Amino acid sequence: MSHTIAAVSTGNQVSAIGILRLSGDDCIAVSGKVFSLSSRKSLSDLPDRRMCLGTLHDKQGRVIDQCMAVVSRAPHSYTGEDTVEFHCHGSPAVLAAGLEALYLAGARPAKRGEFTKRAFLNGKLDLTQAEAVIDLIEADTADAAANAAGQVGGVLQKKLAPIYDDLVNLCSHFHAVLDYPDEDIADFGLENYSGNLRSDAKALYALLQTYSQGRILRQGVAATIVGKPNVGKSSLLNALAGYDRCIVTDIPGTTRDTVEETVMVGATRLRLIDTAGIRDTDDTVEAMGVQRSREAVENADLVIFVCDGSQPLDEADEHIMELCEDREHAIAIINKTDLGTAVEPGELPFLYVIPICAKTGEGLDQFADAVDGMFENEAPCDGSILTNARQYDAIRRAYEAMLRALQGLQLGITPDAVLTDVEESMEAMGEVTGATVREDITARIFERFCVGK
């Protein structure tokens, strides 16, 4: 029996509507103890997925709220179990009182992610879909939301399923011949599967190649702002953030550590990192900040070099530009255009050079256009982009095991040794979808070869 769990599913902020959700075998009976339908019918008599008005009350019968209730019976619900939802007024106090009444009536508090976990355990979602639920909730760009919604809809699972099925067919054929030699089963030959293995390896490799885009889609672009002290790096971050996130003074070396802020620039989410000005210094604390600045450049998806456009470039500017030379994505900012022009765009060895005034915001639109053009999505955000680090690692291991199997095939290694790598690849893919390898192979043997007829 599945114990009834209850939780607020709409957060703890004041809102127009707040939802209390229950799931479990006794959730309708538990709910009936604290909810009375205006029609005077029993909650157990409600048809599935039809909202009805009633009164939510506590154990002593005191009214908590006039609200709507909806019942969804197993297996036609999100969790695959009987579920009840109360659509209340969105006062945190109302929701807390309603939740307490449900606990006293026999429900227990739901753990983090327990509704989605039950949906997975009951076969309503695979692991790719379950993990995409939180990605969809946390998405803060339209593309991230679209990709997460696609994965909730099963797009990633559908890409992996044919590959996994090919490997199950190979393994089940081998084990069927080995375990049931008297059955009328076609002879097993690895060469008959070599084409499928190569095709499947290519498909896994193609999926792995989407992760660099997917990581940015999920986490945003790590953008490091670099330059000499007092060229306007912190002013640029403040201008993009829309408020004074960093202290700005005329004194060089004000920023002594990296300062981070997430902002939307055009259609791109940037995780901006304002760094200490890079220069030689005897100040121990400032020197530590400079070292962190260098490390931030190494780890950045985008480097934003800032110079003071009112002053000629000097040796320090040249040194910092050298740090940016081998970066795939880099933009040069000529700041302080309101103070005159001593630097021409042609002096800077960058593909994108943008004059701006961080104080007035002049030129920031051109900066946003450059960032959007640089990180424009190459693949459609339909759920086919790999965004999850755990999934990436598992698919990487699946791909590497597949390559070992192909190499063993070329070297003429015995089938059982090759299948060790094939099954390792399946196990890694199973970590992504939640499939159980041995049960799948066994089920396929009986399904395809009718053993024991």
Side-chain angles (χ1 to χ4, degrees):
M1 174 178 281
S2 176
H3 199 290
T4 294
I5 56 174
V8 177
S9 64
T10 48
N12 297 317
Q13 301 299 316
V14 174
S15 59
I17 301 295
I19 298 176
L20 298 172
R21 175 183 288 176
L22 299 92
S23 182
D25 294 337
D26 292 330
C27 71
I28 298 174
V30 168
S31 299
K33 296 177 182 179
V34 298
F35 184 78
S36 302
L37 285 166
S38 298
S39 65
R40 300 186 182 279
K41 292 183 179 179
S42 169
L43 194 63
S44 60
D45 294 331
L46 276 186
D48 279 6
R49 294 176 295 282
R50 181 179 298 175
M51 299 188 76
C52 294
L53 180 66
T55 302
L56 185 65
H57 51 80
D58 62 19
K59 193 173 183 180
Q60 288 73 39
R62 292 174 298 189
V63 174
I64 296 172
D65 194 14
Q66 294 285 328
C67 60
M68 307 292 288
V70 58
V71 174
S72 297
R73 292 176 176 81
H76 306 296
S77 71
Y78 176 71
T79 62
E81 305 169 337
D82 286 351
T83 65
V84 176
E85 287 186 355
F86 295 109
H87 293 239
C88 307
H89 293 91
S91 161
V94 166
L95 297 174
L99 204 56
E100 182 178 359
L102 290 169
Y103 293 157
L104 291 173
R108 71 161 175 81
K111 298 176 183 177
R112 292 173 63 91
E114 191 168 2
F115 289 98
T116 301
K117 181 180 180 181
R118 290 190 179 197
F120 166 66
L121 293 174
N122 291 325
K124 305 298 288 186
L125 300 171
D126 74 354
L127 273 185
T128 66
Q129 294 170 298
E131 288 185 294
V133 169
I134 190 62
D135 289 344
L136 183 56
I137 291 171
E138 295 178 347
D140 50 14
T141 67
D143 284 344
N147 195 70
Q151 291 190 359
V152 171
V155 171
L156 184 56
Q157 190 275 338
K158 290 173 185 175
K159 292 181 78 73
L160 292 173
I163 302 172
Y164 190 83
D165 283 349
D166 277 348
L167 302 188
V168 170
N169 288 337
L170 187 159
C171 292
S172 60
H173 190 177
F174 173 79
H175 287 289
V177 170
L178 186 68
D179 296 339
Y180 303 95
D182 297 331
E183 296 290 336
D184 185 18
I185 301 173
D187 292 339
F188 176 80
L190 269 177
E191 63 278 0
N192 298 327
Y193 291 94
S194 61
N196 283 358
L197 285 177
R198 289 188 178 89
S199 176
D200 293 338
K202 288 180 180 178
L204 287 178
Y205 178 77
L207 186 57
L208 288 173
Q209 298 312 296
T210 69
Y211 181 64
S212 59
Q213 178 182 341
R215 179 180 57 81
I216 289 174
L217 192 67
R218 186 182 188 192
Q219 301 175 1
V221 175
T224 298
I225 306 172
V226 296
K228 294 187 306 183
N230 217 32
V231 295
K233 299 185 300 299
S234 296
S235 296
L236 174 62
L237 185 145
N238 287 345
L240 294 173
Y243 74 104
D244 291 340
R245 174 64 176 84
C246 301
I247 297 173
V248 176
T249 74
D250 294 330
I251 303 171
T254 303
T255 302
R256 295 190 162 212
D257 201 351
T258 55
V259 178
E260 299 189 23
E261 182 70 18
T262 299
V263 301
M264 288 299 299
V265 175
T268 306
R269 183 161 63 112
L270 296 186
R271 291 186 289 114
L272 283 175
I273 304 169
D274 180 24
T275 64
I278 297 178
R279 65 171 179 174
D280 293 328
T281 176
D282 295 328
D283 186 302
T284 303
V285 175
E286 186 180 356
M288 294 172 65
V290 170
Q291 178 57 35
R292 291 189 181 185
S293 298
R294 297 178 189 276
E295 293 171 358
V297 171
E298 292 296 319
N299 297 324
D301 301 311
L302 169 66
V303 176
I304 304 168
F305 167 74
V306 182
C307 67
D308 182 347
S310 68
Q311 302 291 328
L313 297 175
D314 60 19
E315 186 176 339
D317 290 307
E318 299 288 347
H319 171 65
I320 298 169
M321 285 192 286
E322 288 177 4
L323 296 177
C324 308
E325 281 182 349
D326 61 345
R327 309 307 300 172
E328 180 181 0
H329 299 299
I331 294 176
I333 296 291
I334 302 175
N335 193 22
K336 304 186 182 182
T337 56
D338 57 321
L339 300 180
T341 304
V343 178
E344 295 297 330
E347 298 180 61
L348 304 175
F350 291 83
L351 181 61
Y352 295 92
V353 180
I354 302 168
I356 74 161
C357 176
K359 185 183 294 185
T360 65
E362 180 185 358
L364 292 183
D365 288 344
Q366 290 86 344
F367 173 72
D369 290 342
V371 171
D372 281 345
M374 195 174 287
F375 292 97
E376 185 176 6
N377 291 323
E378 299 171 359
C381 300
D382 58 358
S384 59
I385 299 173
L386 199 59
T387 61
N388 183 300
R390 186 194 71 81
Q391 293 171 355
Y392 171 80
D393 178 67
I395 293 175
R396 176 190 58 78
R397 287 184 279 112
Y399 172 69
E400 291 174 353
M402 192 91 76
L403 291 184
R404 291 195 296 273
L406 284 168
Q407 185 179 27
L409 191 62
Q410 293 175 342
L411 295 174
I413 294 175
T414 57
D416 59 326
V418 173
L419 261 63
T420 298
D421 290 320
V422 170
E423 292 187 5
E424 185 177 331
S425 182
M426 292 172 65
E427 288 172 1
M429 274 190 284
E431 293 177 24
V432 177
T433 62
T436 304
V437 175
R438 187 55 51 189
E439 290 179 1
D440 283 352
I441 293 175
T442 303
R444 190 62 58 86
I445 289 173
F446 288 89
E447 173 189 311
R448 293 185 68 224
F449 300 105
C450 302
V451 173
K453 63 179 186 294

